[in-house]
Amino acid sequence: MKQLKVDAIKNGTVIDHIQAGKGLIIADFLKTGRGNVMMIGMNLQSKSFGKKDIIKIENKTLTSIEMSSIALISPKATITKIKDFKIEGKKKVELQNEIESLIICPNPKCITNMDEVNSVFYVTQDENNVVRCKYCEKKYSVDEIKIRI
Amino acid sequence: MKNLISMRDLSKEEILYFMEIARKIENGEINPDMNRKVAALMFYEPSTRTHFSFATAMKKMSGQTITMRGSVNSSVSKGETFADTLQTIAQYADIIVIRTAVEGSARYASEIVDVPVVNAGDGANQHPTQALLDLYSIIKTQGTLENLTIGVAGDLKFGRTVHSLVQAMSDFNPKFKFISPSFLKMPSYIKDDLKEKNIEFEELEEIDKKIDELDILYVTRVQKERFADLEDYEKAKGSYTLKKSMLDNVKDNFKVMHPLPRVGEIQTDVDDTKYAYYFPQAKNGVFMRQAIISILLGGLDETIES
């Protein structure tokens, strides 16, 4: 029998195929310090990715905002819902073209940081995952931005 | 088109349409009438030239202007929000021209008021009316915007004018020479855009090095405050100061532009040469702003050919 490196969960969500190294960033903003059991596997072997990270969270269903955030950080991640140790649904995260409210603009002179204006970012659909602020028009890589949770 | 917020929003056809209307206004072919129209000039940040240029444009079309300067002595200092100020002014004015230090404020303004909004500069972001008048100056002197070699000198790191200009020219297959002290180079996000579009550019540190290849030399101010050490400033100053003696072998169609005010980047002996174009450039600004106001407020017979 295949030995699992990260324990199986009974109910909850598995975020798989996370780009190696991005697992901790995702774990950080999911803030499951609230009590849910979370397991993180890093640098696991993957047939199609070489190396990947994986996160398993017990008793948690991801919100659509959380899913977009994951898409932003690791566009090829997959989300699997688990019920009674069985896979209930599996899907790839999808990056929206326009992300509202989620991102905090790193530009201190941007109006979204001064007035009560919701941030809007446009996403360029390429490997680099660059986002551009609708208001100050500055471009940022995903590593440079902060996510509002 | 309802607002003018960013050069990023304009297609090549729309840019050329602005050129066409400015030309027709300058030639007297069309004479837009703004009688009984009021433009609110909201200048949260001081700018004498841009303010005068808009006010002149409006008055030349028999329109009126109301002006708000700074946040001192205005309701802003009483704690009113930006959105409330705008919504109130929008009840008085037919068009709002706004200048602030806050980036993205003009875009935000256009979302909350019903009247047209013109961005007259939002921090280090955009200054589209300056970019359009610069393009108008280029097309007037060169006969075209296509395939030109353009030198851009000065503070390329923080200068929004040069960023807007480079962005605006990108549709017209230019070649750029970027001339600046090493720590005020063109930001990489702009250079990346150029690489993506296969636009040729070269970075130089001396203003006269490739001057003979240029059709346009666009000079901007380098502010003393940018230098950590005033001694460095004095040293660097010489390498980007344009002097008459550098113009001996320039191309016949060569023109020097500058958004003004200058503080010594162009020596005054250049003024008397046929290459100096910065004062006519300022005059072009009035025609272009007349064009912008009349296009946004409507009333022109022309329509954009799609």
Side-chain angles (χ1 to χ4, degrees), chain A residues 107 109 111 134-137, chain B residues 6 8 103-104 111 125 193:
Chain A
N107 176 8
K109 287 178 75 189
I111 186 138
K134 178 187 182 186
Y135 293 96
C136 73
E137 305 188 13
Chain B
S6 168
R8 210 182 277 279
E103 293 162 20
E111 290 172 350
N125 184 29
D193 278 351

Side-chain angles (χ1 to χ4, degrees), chain B residues 275-295:
Chain B
Y275 308 114
Y277 197 70
Y278 21 96
F279 295 118
Q281 182 187 350
K283 185 170 184 174
N284 290 338
V286 176
F287 299 124
M288 181 47 78
R289 288 176 174 121
Q290 282 183 270
I292 291 163
I293 292 167
S294 47
I295 287 169

Side-chain angles (χ1 to χ4, degrees), chain B residues 82-127:
Chain B
F82 180 59
D84 277 6
T85 308
L86 276 164
Q87 272 172 337
T88 311
I89 305 275
Q91 309 305 314
Y92 310 146
D94 299 285
I95 185 167
I96 290 177
V97 177
I98 185 163
R99 162 90 158 220
T100 77
V102 180
E103 293 162 20
S105 51
R107 173 87 61 200
Y108 176 57
S110 72
E111 290 172 350
I112 56 177
V113 300
D114 292 330
V115 299
V117 173
V118 179
N119 183 3
D122 61 330
N125 184 29
Q126 285 273 335
H127 194 357

Side-chain angles (χ1 to χ4, degrees), chain B:
Chain B
M1 196 185 313
K2 197 191 151 214
N3 305 298
L4 179 64
I5 306 299
S6 168
M7 290 308 287
R8 210 182 277 279
D9 302 335
L10 298 184
S11 67
K12 189 172 175 176
E13 289 69 34
E14 286 169 327
I15 290 174
L16 291 171
Y17 179 68
F18 278 107
M19 302 298 127
E20 183 65 11
I21 298 300
R23 187 185 63 78
K24 286 184 173 168
I25 289 172
E26 180 172 3
N27 295 348
E29 279 176 58
I30 52 174
N31 206 350
D33 182 13
M34 294 295 140
N35 190 21
R36 293 170 191 261
K37 299 275 190 204
V38 174
L41 309 180
M42 298 176 69
F43 279 60
Y44 284 87
E45 195 188 51
S47 170
T48 313
R49 258 153 265 265
T50 307
H51 180 270
F52 269 16
S53 182
F54 270 107
T56 308
M58 201 59 191
K59 287 179 203 304
K60 279 189 142 185
M61 300 187 289
S62 314
Q64 306 290 321
T65 58
I66 50 175
T67 292
M68 194 198 81
R69 277 181 201 279
S71 54
V72 190
N73 297 327
S74 75
S75 49
V76 178
S77 55
K78 295 175 195 153
E80 189 183 43
T81 64
F82 180 59
D84 277 6
T85 308
L86 276 164
Q87 272 172 337
T88 311
I89 305 275
Q91 309 305 314
Y92 310 146
D94 299 285
I95 185 167
I96 290 177
V97 177
I98 185 163
R99 162 90 158 220
T100 77
V102 180
E103 293 162 20
S105 51
R107 173 87 61 200
Y108 176 57
S110 72
E111 290 172 350
I112 56 177
V113 300
D114 292 330
V115 299
V117 173
V118 179
N119 183 3
D122 61 330
N125 184 29
Q126 285 273 335
H127 194 357
T129 68
Q130 178 75 44
L132 285 171
L133 82 86
D134 290 342
L135 260 55
Y136 183 54
S137 299
I138 293 172
I139 204 169
K140 259 178 83 175
T141 57
Q142 307 297 319
T144 177
L145 293 174
E146 303 278 351
N147 308 317
L148 298 171
T149 303
I150 298 172
V152 189
D155 180 353
L156 308 187
K157 188 172 180 184
F158 299 100
R160 68 178 162 208
T161 307
V162 296
H163 299 166
S164 290
L165 177 71
V166 166
Q167 207 168 41
M169 283 305 293
S170 297
D171 285 334
F172 301 95
N173 191 36
K175 278 184 197 159
F176 288 115
K177 312 276 181 204
F178 296 139
I179 308 136
S180 71
S182 57
F183 62 94
L184 291 176
K185 276 188 179 176
M186 196 58 90
S188 51
Y189 69 91
I190 292 190
K191 289 188 281 189
D192 291 344
D193 278 351
L194 294 177
K195 282 178 203 157
E196 242 169 66
K197 293 179 188 161
N198 285 320
I199 293 168
E200 211 180 291
F201 66 90
E202 187 180 359
E203 295 184 286
L204 304 165
E205 289 195 22
E206 286 110 41
I207 205 165
D208 56 335
K209 205 154 186 197
K210 299 267 173 102
I211 198 166
D212 301 347
E213 295 174 26
L214 303 178
D215 299 304
I216 294 283
L217 175 61
Y218 196 99
V219 187
T220 61
R221 192 155 48 108
V222 176
Q223 286 159 310
K224 254 188 207 173
E225 306 87 86
R226 303 275 186 235
F227 288 80
D229 187 346
L230 273 188
E231 211 175 304
D232 288 345
Y233 171 74
E234 292 303 328
K235 261 188 257 166
K237 222 167 115 180
S239 58
Y240 52 81
T241 300
L242 186 69
K243 307 178 180 82
K244 191 179 181 180
S245 58
M246 296 170 175
L247 305 176
D248 290 346
N249 296 308
V250 294
K251 287 164 81 167
D252 202 46
N253 60 321
F254 176 72
K255 288 284 181 275
V256 181
M257 291 170 60
H258 192 302
L260 303 175
R262 67 172 158 181
V263 281
E265 310 82 42
I266 303 172
Q267 289 194 347
T268 48
D269 61 359
V270 176
D271 296 3
D272 302 330
T273 69
K274 65 172 184 171
Y275 308 114
Y277 197 70
Y278 21 96
F279 295 118
Q281 182 187 350
K283 185 170 184 174
N284 290 338
V286 176
F287 299 124
M288 181 47 78
R289 288 176 174 121
Q290 282 183 270
I292 291 163
I293 292 167
S294 47
I295 287 169
L296 297 184
L297 277 179
L300 291 176
D301 293 334
E302 335 256 325
T303 45
I304 300 178
E305 288 166 32
S306 53

Side-chain angles (χ1 to χ4, degrees), chain A residues 80-97:
Chain A
T80 310
K81 262 196 201 169
I82 308 285
K83 200 175 177 188
D84 274 333
F85 294 110
K86 286 196 185 110
I87 293 172
E88 205 183 52
K90 192 170 188 172
K91 58 176 175 185
K92 279 196 171 171
V93 293
E94 262 175 43
L95 204 53
Q96 297 149 334
N97 294 328

